[in-house]
Each structure stands twice: as C-alpha cells, then as structure tokens.
Amino acid sequence: MRRRCAAALPLLAIALLGAALLVVGLPGSAPFATAAPDPTGLTAASTQPRLSTSVGQHLDYRVSIVNDGHSATGQLLAHLNIASVTGGTYVDPEDWSAERSRFLPALAPGAAVALTWDVQAVSPGTFALYVVVLPAGMAATPDQRLVVSTPTRVEVAARRTLNAGGALPVAVAVPVLLGLVALAGRGRNRARLRR
Amino acid sequence: MMSTAATADRTARPALSRHGWLVIAGRDCRELWAGGRGPVLLVGYSVLLSCVSYLAATNQVLNFLEQREAVNLTLQVALAVGVLVALVCAADAISGERERGTLEALLLTPVSRRGVVAGKLVAALSLWLACWAVSLPYLWVLGRGVAVVAESVLLSLGIGTATALGLVEVGLLISALSDSNRASLALSVFVLIALSAPTQLPTGLANTAVGGALIRLNPVGSALHYVSAVLVRGRGASRDLSYLAAPVLTAVLAGAVLLVAAPRIVTLGAGGRR
C-alpha cells in the first residue's frame, strides 16, 4: 500500500505542476496582466499602472489607443469601466465618471489617440479602471473582438469630511450678529423719526 | 452780493456735476444701509449661507464630497445669490425712483444723467461687496482644512465683482427702460435665473459643443465654471481664463451702453419718454 502511494507521488507532483502551469498560463488569470493585442493590431493601454487617492478626489485617467495594424479601423467607441477588485463595495460607474463613452474617428495604420477621463473617487476600496474599445455604430459586427486596455489599480482611502463642530458656531453667529446690527439700525431710525 | 452768490453758484454747479455721482452714491448708500433694506437683505443672505455651509459640513449624504467641493458649493451659492441681491437693487434703482415720484427731483439737480447712473451703480455694488464680506467666515470655516481659503476669497472677490458689475449694469438698463418697477424686478430676476439655468446641465450635455457654448457665452455660468475648475479640479488660474471672457465682456459692453445711452434713457418716462 505504502509502495503504491510512493509510486503515485511523482504522478501527483506532475499533475500539480501541470495544473499550476495551466493556471499561470491562462490569459487574464494573473492580476493586472497586460492586454493581449487584437488581431487587427488595435491596442489600448494606460500609462498609469497604479493610482492612489482618497474619497471625493478627482483624478485624470489616461489611456492611449494605438492602431498597430496594417489597415485603418472604422469609427471606434472607447468605454470606461470600473470594478471593485476586492468585492463588497457597490460600484455605480456613472457616479465615478459622468461621461464614460467616447466616440473616436477611424484610426489610420500607426495612428494613436490619447484619451483622458475625469474620474471622481466615490467609495473607499481597491478598484480596477479599464477601457473597452469596440467598433462604433453600424460598423460593429458580431464576430469582431473587443479590445481591452491594461487595467489601472486605484486605491481609494476613506476620508471623513464632517466638521459639525467648526461650522455650527459660524452658521449661528453670523446671522445673529447681522440680525442684531439690523435691529439696532432700525431702532436708531425709529428714534430719529420720533425726534 | 448778488454777483458773489451767482459766481459761487456757477462754480459749485460744474463741481457738483463732476462729482455728482459721489453725491448720488452717498445718498443711495445711506438710503440702502441706514434705511434698513441692506442689513435685512444681508440677514437673509447669511441665513441661506449658514444653511448651505452647515449642510455641506455635516450632512451624511454629502459626506463623500471632497472638502474643496463643500467650499465650492458654498462659494457658488454666495456668488449667485450675492449677484442676485445686487441685481435686484439695481433693477429698483431708476424705475423705483420713477414710481415713487422722486426721480423728477433727482433729475432737477445739476448731476448729469451719467452721474446718476454711476452713483446708483456704486450703491448696488456696495450690496455685492457686503455680501462678499458676509461670505468670508463661511469660506474660512470650510476651506481652512484644505488650504483653499485665500484662493476662494480672491476668486469670489475678483470674479464675483466682475460678474456683479456686468449684471448690475444690465439691471440698471432694464430699470431705465421698464415701464414699471414690478416689470423691471421681474425681468431682472428672470434674466438671472435664465443665466443660471445652464449651470444645471448634466455634465454630458455641458461637454457638447452647444452646452459648452451656452456656458461660455453666459456670464454667470462661465464664472461659476471657472471657480469650480480652479477650486475643485485644482487647475491653474490661467488655464481656463477664456471662461472669464463672458463676465468681463458683459461688464464692458453693458457699461458702454449705459454710458452712451444714460442721457436718453434716464428720463421721467420709461425708455426715454419724457
């Protein structure tokens, strides 16, 4: 029994090694792997692999789309997406960027276009920002592949902006003081009229 | 004796005519501030700013706002309402005097019509400057944590004054041309609301060519846009300077029209009717 187990060990090791190689080799299984080039030669990549910010802050997310192919593309649509990579955080991309879709003109071979999105960090957590490029409008065909940019990891720190203690005295004192000044002025006017 | 008095009168008249705007400004400012209308408007203005700033500083729903946005929100309300208050004051300046029957006495003084308009302009602008001064504690309490106090104070003073100047001039034109004080006030408030409307456009629409043009051509919208760009997005003061063209041009053009047309439109009847 023990000998049979010993004979099975190399097989188990090979199986484990094969499985590990298979997992590592699968496209996209590694976190933040570079995007595979599209057969048409269109690539999208961000120059910012990592961004850090805090809740409420705005950041510029830049992506470059290049046509490395030999033929011109049709009109393109670049669409920004955001996902929470740690889970448990509700993400509504509309809250993060008001204008996520950008229509691009056809790109000639070798042409590139740089796009910048204004993104506001709405929730704390770790997120991935990425752009999907697809044919725009009627140019889309069912067999056409989407081009996805390299994702940018965004770390958003929580931030508390409540400041009730500081605001309350000012919010109360200013109208009260101005009210007293107005009342004093009115009283002085009445006294002058009586005289 | 008689000739001495006549000579004194002759020398006094051109002097009053030259500095008449100061006399009118002083009289209108006294009426506005000592008469109690100005202080009451300021109390209302401060109550509004208190509500907005306290809400921005404490409300849980607004808590995701970056503190710069809280300053920006308060500054935008301060600017828009401050300009509205000054515009209403300007809208009442000539048509109000006409309706109260005091314009005739004013026109009989040796002060030129341009002097009358300039004096009333200064009085209305004093209301804007007082509103700006009232907004300072709110900007300080919200902005001190993120070091935008000086920036927001300078922005509100410079851009607010340019916007207020242009709209006060427009208000004076409306007031001089209106048949009644009520019509002048209604039209002035409508103008301000119409100018503020494009600021409520969704971002997607505001980024289109038409939306962008609507904001750039609009003195209130472009001023508020510039303030947001500098305060919230942290852009340099010179980057979006083109947005200041509308408020500056409004002030220059409305001022020029007022200067040229004042002798003809500041009359007992509306729009130049005698």
Side-chain angles (χ1 to χ4, degrees):
Chain A
M1 181 70 178
R2 195 178 290 170
R3 206 180 297 155
R4 203 177 293 166
C5 280
L9 268 178
L11 281 176
L12 191 65
I14 290 166
L16 282 173
L17 189 66
L21 282 172
L22 199 64
V23 167
V24 172
L26 276 176
S29 61
F32 305 106
T34 51
D38 184 70
T40 59
L42 198 64
T43 57
S46 171
T47 50
Q48 305 150 292
R50 254 168 206 281
L51 288 168
S52 296
T53 187
S54 58
V55 171
Q57 296 275 12
H58 287 258
L59 47 92
D60 282 342
Y61 175 57
R62 290 185 287 274
V63 168
S64 170
I65 298 165
V66 185
N67 180 9
D68 284 328
H70 299 293
S71 56
T73 67
Q75 286 193 321
L76 300 169
L77 169 65
H79 189 74
L80 174 72
N81 258 314
I82 181 150
S84 166
V85 291
T86 49
T89 307
Y90 170 73
V91 179
D92 183 353
E94 292 294 335
D95 291 342
W96 290 69
S97 184
E99 198 193 4
R100 290 160 56 216
S101 295
R102 300 278 174 82
F103 286 88
L104 309 174
L107 289 180
V113 62
L115 297 172
T116 303
W117 275 268
D118 173 39
V119 177
Q120 184 179 25
V122 172
S123 323
T126 306
F127 303 89
L129 276 173
Y130 60 98
V131 167
V132 179
V133 184
L134 58 155
M138 301 307 284
T141 53
D143 58 333
Q144 202 144 13
R145 286 183 59 186
L146 304 179
V147 177
V148 184
S149 75
T150 50
T152 294
R153 193 185 179 96
V154 185
E155 303 279 356
V156 183
R159 180 174 172 156
R160 194 174 166 82
T161 59
L162 295 185
N163 180 21
L168 187 61
V170 171
V172 172
V174 176
V176 167
L177 279 175
L178 287 172
L180 287 175
V181 170
L183 278 178
R186 185 164 278 198
R188 208 174 50 189
N189 278 349
R190 276 195 193 148
R192 199 188 306 153
L193 282 174
R194 255 186 250 128
R195 262 189 270 132
Chain B
M1 187 68 189
M2 191 76 171
S3 73
T4 318
T7 313
D9 190 44
R10 268 201 300 275
T11 50
R13 273 176 178 264
L16 184 61
S17 183
R18 221 178 301 127
H19 302 291
W21 68 273
L22 273 177
V23 178
I24 302 291
R27 188 202 71 145
D28 277 23
C29 282
R30 265 194 307 280
E31 250 175 41
L32 181 65
W33 296 109
R37 198 155 51 106
V40 169
L41 284 171
L42 279 193
V43 173
Y45 179 75
S46 68
V47 169
L48 176 71
L49 282 193
S50 288
C51 295
V52 171
S53 59
Y54 186 71
L55 196 71
T58 60
N59 192 280
Q60 291 285 348
V61 179
L62 294 177
N63 192 29
F64 85 92
L65 287 179
E66 208 259 322
Q67 211 162 337
R68 281 170 174 267
E69 289 206 28
V71 179
N72 183 44
L73 177 71
T74 308
L75 180 57
Q76 299 225 351
V77 172
L79 208 146
V81 179
V83 169
L84 170 73
V85 168
L87 178 65
V88 166
C89 180
D92 172 72
I94 296 164
S95 53
E97 293 247 24
R98 200 181 277 141
E99 216 158 85
R100 289 188 288 272
T102 49
L103 187 65
E104 191 171 3
L106 186 65
L107 296 181
L108 286 173
T109 61
V111 180
S112 68
R113 307 287 161 100
R114 289 191 183 110
V116 170
V117 166
K120 291 191 172 298
L121 180 85
V122 171
L125 276 181
S126 75
L127 201 49
W128 153 251
L129 288 175
C131 287
W132 172 76
V134 167
S135 72
L136 296 182
Y138 300 100
L139 297 179
W140 172 77
V141 79
L142 291 172
R144 65 193 159 146
V146 282
V148 290
V149 178
E151 214 173 5
S152 55
V153 166
L154 288 175
L155 276 173
S156 59
L157 180 63
I159 294 162
T161 306
T163 313
L165 178 65
L167 289 183
V168 161
E169 288 166 351
V170 170
L172 285 170
L173 278 171
I174 292 172
S175 185
L177 294 169
S178 294
D179 278 331
S180 71
N181 200 28
R182 198 183 298 171
S184 168
L185 290 171
L187 187 57
S188 300
V189 172
F190 172 76
V191 165
L192 189 71
I193 291 173
L195 290 177
S196 303
T199 58
Q200 302 305 311
L201 283 177
T203 317
L205 266 178
N207 287 341
T208 60
V210 177
L214 266 180
I215 290 175
R216 275 179 189 275
L217 291 173
N218 169 350
V220 178
S222 54
L224 296 181
H225 181 95
Y226 181 82
V227 168
S228 294
V230 175
L231 266 189
V232 180
R233 312 222 186 276
R235 290 183 182 159
S238 57
R239 185 169 158 184
D240 288 313
L241 268 183
S242 59
Y243 277 96
L244 296 185
V248 172
L249 274 179
T250 305
V252 171
L253 288 179
V257 171
L258 210 52
L259 199 69
V260 171
R264 266 168 286 155
I265 60 174
V266 182
T267 51
L268 284 179
R273 290 196 298 275
R274 309 233 164 225

